[in-house]
């Protein structure tokens, strides 16, 4: 049975009032203010929009958009939206499918023939549903030793994807979130439409929905009016700039406001973009694996309930930006949050707002706490066993050498950027990097000497690093 989030098509959507760029207060506003009380004129913060039954019941800004120029966050402040952008990329592909210009069940390589042979096994639909097995390009650049502020370009992504000799898994057999997937969707839009994703989105999504403050940014150096800079806190209590340095769209790349996000969200109740209700329904259908298992992920939309209430949602995170857009369709409630602090937790803020607005309808809280594996596992290596792992390891798939050293009786990894470099033994020939949550699985030859290791992570697996002489 296909999981579907039912959406009433009643025409409850109303036009935005002329004052929609100013703060709007409602009966819940004092309680909502408390959620954001940590943000003030000395901190970055968040813009918030709460829409219920087609009316904005709260709209406001907390904290500062620009700490250097003392510019406060307002409802019309423009933020980098992170992976919330993927909804618009997915809609672009759905519209092209509706137009008959692409077929979601055709292989990706039909539209991007420069990709390696593995793209013949992946359909566009699997790419949209994160069941493609594509390795995440952020992870590939991480394993390639690139720093966090490395300017990633679209040609650089195509190049590193072309170097890959395999996938994380056989397409359709698993769900694994991949930024490479939606990047490739943007490239398909380029190839079929004949212009970049921003041009398509402006014509088919942003202009029809009057989203005047939204755009896809193909060059991170371009100016954005009323932009909130991203920030990361540092020791001492002040902040460092942390803006996007991506020249990439698809995985993210959209700048927008909470007001524009509400305009977009309202289209899910009365689709004005083409394809009618059936296109909206298809975006909100869970993918189904080859095994028949549902993934609870549609087209750039997570389909997981909250405290017994249906919810369609997605988060975003990049550099100093954090975002969420959460819709509770049965209650016709939507919460849009755009934040410019790397420490912000917009998803938690959004559910706290839902707790307030839906207090009489939501079920009990889930008190089940997830436990992280203990980094001080009991598995211990002797000094000689530790030394057997020491050496240089090279992978041509990411064109990088990773070095394992023994320092102060601890194994450490070199050649990738990060503050946490410790490796912990968790089983025979199995080391774990807890800081970035990935494993190194070692292979030995018939003489017992290590020949290579394979990386295993949620978003990039199967990459082999061979030990160098």
């Amino acid at each position: 049975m296909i999981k579907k989030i039912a959406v009433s098509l009643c025409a409850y959507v109303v036009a935005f009032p002329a004052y929609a760029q100013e703060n709007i207060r409602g009966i819940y506003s004092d309680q909502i203010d408390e959620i954001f009380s940590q943000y003030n004129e000395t901190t970055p913060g968040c813009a918030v929009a709460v829409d219920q039954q087609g009316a904005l019941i709260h709209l406001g800004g907390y904290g500062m958009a620009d700490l250097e120029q003392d510019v406060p966050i307002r409802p019309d402040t423009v933020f980098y939206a992170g992976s919330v952008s993927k909804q618009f990329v997915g809609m672009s592909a759905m519209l092209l499918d509706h137009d008959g210009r692409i077929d979601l069940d055709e292989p990706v390589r039909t539209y991007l023939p420069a990709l390696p042979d593995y793209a013949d096994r992946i359909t566009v639909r699997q790419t949209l549903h994160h069941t493609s097995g594509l390795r995440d390009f952020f992870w590939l650049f991480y394993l390639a030793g690139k720093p966090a502020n490395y300017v990633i370009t679209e040609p650089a992504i195509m190049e590193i994807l072309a170097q890959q000799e395999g996938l994380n898994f056989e397409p359709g057999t698993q769900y694994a979130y991949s930024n490479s997937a939606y990047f490739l969707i943007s490239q398909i839009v380029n190839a079929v439409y004949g212009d970049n994703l921003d041009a398509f989105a402006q014509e088919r999504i942003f202009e029809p929905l009057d989203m005047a403050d939204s755009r896809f940014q193909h060059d991170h150096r371009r100016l954005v009016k009323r932009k909130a800079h991203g920030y990361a806190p540092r020791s001492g209590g002040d902040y460092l700039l942390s803006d996007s340095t991506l020249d990439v769209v698809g995985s993210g790349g959209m700048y927008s406001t909470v007001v524009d996000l509400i305009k977009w969200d309202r289209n899910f109740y009365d689709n004005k973009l083409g394809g009618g209700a059936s296109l909206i329904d298809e975006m909100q259908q869970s993918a189904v694996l080859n095994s028949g298992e549902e993934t609870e992920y549609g087209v750039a939309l997570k389909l997981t309930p909250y405290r017994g209430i249906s919810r369609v949602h997605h988060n975003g995170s990049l550099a100093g930006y954090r975002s969420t857009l959460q819709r509770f369709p049965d209650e016709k409630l939507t919460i849009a949050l755009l934040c410019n602090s790397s420490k912000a937790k917009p998803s938690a803020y959004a559910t706290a707002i839902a707790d307030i607005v839906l207090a009489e309808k939501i079920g009990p809280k889930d008190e089940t706490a997830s436990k992280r594996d203990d980094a001080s596992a009991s598995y211990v290596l002797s000094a000689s066993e530790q030394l057997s792992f020491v050496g240089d390891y090279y992978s041509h798939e990411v064109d990088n050498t990773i070095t394992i050293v023994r320092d102060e009786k601890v194994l450490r990894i070199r050649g990738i950027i990060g503050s946490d470099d410790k490796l912990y033994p968790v089983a025979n020939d199995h080391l774990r990097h807890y800081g970035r949550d990935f494993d190194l699985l070692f292979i030995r030859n018939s003489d017992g000497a290590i020949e290579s290791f394979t990386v295993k992570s949620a978003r990039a697996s199967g990459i082999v690093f061979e030990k160098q002489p």
Side-chain angles (χ1 to χ4, degrees), residues 225-250:
K225 291 185 177 180
R226 304 193 311 280
K227 173 183 173 179
H229 288 288
Y231 295 95
R234 69 172 184 170
S235 59
D238 58 351
Y239 294 87
L240 293 173
L241 277 173
S242 185
D243 286 339
S244 167
T245 57
L246 285 183
D247 287 348
V248 175
V249 300

Side-chain angles (χ1 to χ4, degrees), residues 75-375:
D76 62 348
T77 298
V78 178
F79 293 76
Y80 186 87
S83 289
V84 170
S85 311
K86 287 183 171 72
Q87 299 173 41
F88 300 84
V89 184
M91 173 63 84
S92 298
M94 300 292 287
L95 289 172
L96 287 170
D97 177 65
H98 177 259
D99 295 346
R101 300 177 70 176
I102 66 173
D103 183 341
L104 299 184
D105 294 310
E106 280 291 307
V108 169
R109 206 173 183 209
T110 301
Y111 308 101
L112 301 175
L115 287 172
D117 291 349
Y118 64 67
D120 278 330
R121 293 154 39 210
I122 304 168
T123 67
V124 178
R125 192 182 303 277
Q126 289 168 333
T127 309
L128 288 167
H129 286 311
H130 291 306
T131 59
S132 65
L134 285 162
R135 293 166 178 166
D136 187 288
F137 70 78
F138 282 115
W139 265 91
L140 295 178
F141 284 117
Y142 170 69
L143 293 171
K146 304 301 182 184
N149 61 351
Y150 173 69
V151 178
I152 299 176
T153 64
E154 296 182 359
I157 297 175
M158 291 298 289
E159 181 179 354
I160 202 165
L161 290 179
Q163 292 172 208
Q164 303 310 298
E165 297 181 349
L167 300 167
N168 289 333
F169 50 79
E170 190 63 25
T173 61
Q174 297 181 44
Y175 165 89
Y177 192 88
S178 172
N179 285 290
S180 298
Y182 272 75
F183 165 74
L184 290 181
I185 295 295
S186 77
Q187 297 301 295
I188 291 172
V189 174
N190 292 0
V192 173
Y193 179 64
D195 205 341
N196 64 32
L197 178 63
D198 183 58
F200 182 88
Q202 293 293 346
E203 177 187 343
R204 299 294 298 273
I205 300 173
F206 298 151
E207 290 178 11
L209 298 182
D210 191 29
M211 296 174 64
D213 290 318
S214 297
R215 65 197 265 190
F216 278 97
Q217 189 84 321
H218 291 264
D219 183 343
H220 78 281
R221 300 169 301 174
R222 288 181 60 194
L223 303 182
V224 178
K225 291 185 177 180
R226 304 193 311 280
K227 173 183 173 179
H229 288 288
Y231 295 95
R234 69 172 184 170
S235 59
D238 58 351
Y239 294 87
L240 293 173
L241 277 173
S242 185
D243 286 339
S244 167
T245 57
L246 285 183
D247 287 348
V248 175
V249 300
S251 57
M254 187 180 79
Y255 283 82
S256 192
T257 67
V258 290
V259 172
D260 274 7
L261 291 180
I262 294 299
K263 292 177 181 179
W264 158 257
D265 182 81
R266 289 180 178 182
N267 190 66
F268 279 79
Y269 297 95
D270 183 15
N271 182 19
K272 294 177 171 62
L273 301 180
S278 60
L279 186 146
I280 294 297
D281 287 346
E282 189 173 357
M283 284 190 71
Q284 298 180 118
Q285 289 178 358
S286 173
V288 180
L289 300 177
N290 297 346
S291 64
E293 179 185 358
E294 295 183 356
T295 66
E296 296 187 318
Y297 194 96
V299 175
L301 296 168
K302 295 180 181 180
L303 311 173
T304 53
Y306 174 69
R307 297 182 67 176
I309 294 180
S310 294
R311 178 179 57 162
V312 182
H313 62 114
H314 211 288
N315 301 329
S317 174
L318 182 82
Y321 296 99
R322 301 291 183 268
S323 59
T324 195
L325 183 62
Q326 302 202 16
R327 176 168 64 257
F328 302 84
D330 294 343
E331 311 302 326
K332 296 186 175 62
L333 171 70
T334 293
I335 302 160
L337 270 158
L338 294 170
C339 304
N340 64 333
S341 169
S342 63
K343 294 298 184 182
K345 299 179 180 179
S347 183
Y349 305 154
T351 54
I353 293 171
D355 289 346
I356 293 168
V357 178
L358 304 176
E360 297 181 0
K361 299 182 178 181
I362 56 178
K365 290 184 178 181
D366 183 1
E367 302 295 343
T368 304
S370 60
K371 294 183 178 180
R372 178 173 170 168
D373 291 337
D374 183 5

